[in-house]
Amino acid sequence: MLQSHHPDDPSQDPPKAPVSPVYTGQPIVLIGLMGAGKSTVGRRLAARLQLPFVDADTEIESAAGMSITDIFERFGEAHFRDGERRVIARLIDGTPKVIATGGGAFINEETRALILDQALAIWLDADTAILADRVKRRDTRPLLRGKNPKAVLAELARVRNPIYALAPVRVPSHHAPHEHTVLQIMKALGL
C-alpha cells in the first residue's frame, strides 16, 4: 500500500538536517567552564573576524576597582554575580564584538536570557581533566582556592553543562593549539 504525502501533516515531512547558526553581526559571547579558553580563543577569534574583543571579567574588575578574587572575598559570590550581570548587559549593546564571559555568567537566568536573545552564544566545551590541567597554572580562581580542581570542575560540569548546552553553538576545546578552536568556531558559523 502506498502512502501519499499530506502537506498539512508535518509528521509526513522528511527529516531535516539541523540548521547551523549563521553569523549575522550580533555580539558573539563565549561561554563555558573556567579554563575552556574563552579569553584566549576570544582574542584570536576577534582578531580573525576583525572585531573588538572584550573580556567581561576585566570589565568587572575595572568597574569595581578591584580584582575578582577581592570582590569574592569582600562581598561574596552573589554580589559578584550581580555586578557580572550588569556589566554583560552593558557589553551586549548590539554592536559586533567578541565577548568572553566568566564560567558562571551563563548560569544566571537573566544573563542567559539576554545572551540568547541579543547575541550568539558559543559554548567552549572541554573535558574536566583538560580544564584541571589548564587552571592549575594560576591561583586566581576564587571557586578553586584551597580545593581539588578536578573535583570542583567535575561538580561544576555536572551542574552547568546542561545549561551551557542551551547555547546554539557548541565547539569542543581539546589539548590543541587555540587556533584549532578558532577554526572550529569559524566553521560552525559558516565563515
Side-chain angles (χ1 to χ4, degrees):
M1 173 182 264
L2 291 173
Q3 281 192 325
S4 62
H5 174 71
H6 298 284
D8 296 331
D9 183 1
S11 69
Q12 299 294 319
D13 289 343
K16 295 178 182 170
V19 177
S20 294
V22 176
Y23 181 62
T24 59
Q26 70 274 49
I28 294 172
V29 179
L30 302 180
I31 65 167
L33 288 170
M34 65 181 88
K38 299 177 298 288
S39 295
T40 304
V41 169
R43 276 186 206 89
R44 291 174 186 232
L45 178 64
R48 178 67 71 98
L49 297 175
Q50 298 182 334
L51 294 175
F53 170 76
V54 185
D55 187 309
D57 284 351
T58 302
E59 293 294 314
I60 292 163
E61 289 177 335
S62 177
M66 65 178 70
S67 72
I68 289 173
T69 301
D70 289 343
I71 297 168
F72 265 77
E73 287 175 0
R74 289 185 62 191
F75 303 106
E77 185 176 359
H79 180 82
F80 169 77
R81 296 294 174 206
D82 184 55
E84 178 180 58
R85 177 190 52 75
R86 286 179 284 144
V87 165
I88 291 172
R90 177 175 50 80
L91 295 175
I92 298 177
D93 59 6
T95 61
K97 66 181 74 138
V98 177
I99 303 168
T101 62
F106 198 71
I107 305 310
N108 177 287
E109 190 174 341
E110 203 174 319
T111 302
R112 181 172 61 253
L114 175 70
I115 292 169
L116 291 173
D117 183 54
Q118 297 181 27
L120 177 59
I122 299 174
W123 174 24
L124 299 185
D125 183 16
D127 182 82
T128 54
I130 293 171
L131 297 172
D133 185 54
R134 290 177 182 170
V135 300
K136 72 181 181 186
R137 299 174 196 154
R138 288 187 285 162
D139 186 30
T140 58
R141 309 205 186 245
L143 295 179
L144 296 180
R145 283 258 164 104
K147 298 175 183 161
N148 177 334
K150 283 184 182 177
V152 172
L153 288 162
E155 178 59 17
L156 287 172
R158 185 189 68 74
V159 172
R160 293 178 177 181
N161 283 359
I163 298 169
Y164 293 146
L166 297 171
V169 179
R170 175 191 168 268
V171 174
S173 177
H174 302 289
H175 268 308
H178 294 297
E179 192 62 25
H180 176 75
T181 305
V182 171
L183 293 174
Q184 292 298 326
I185 293 170
M186 302 280 290
K187 182 179 176 183
L189 299 181
L191 301 173

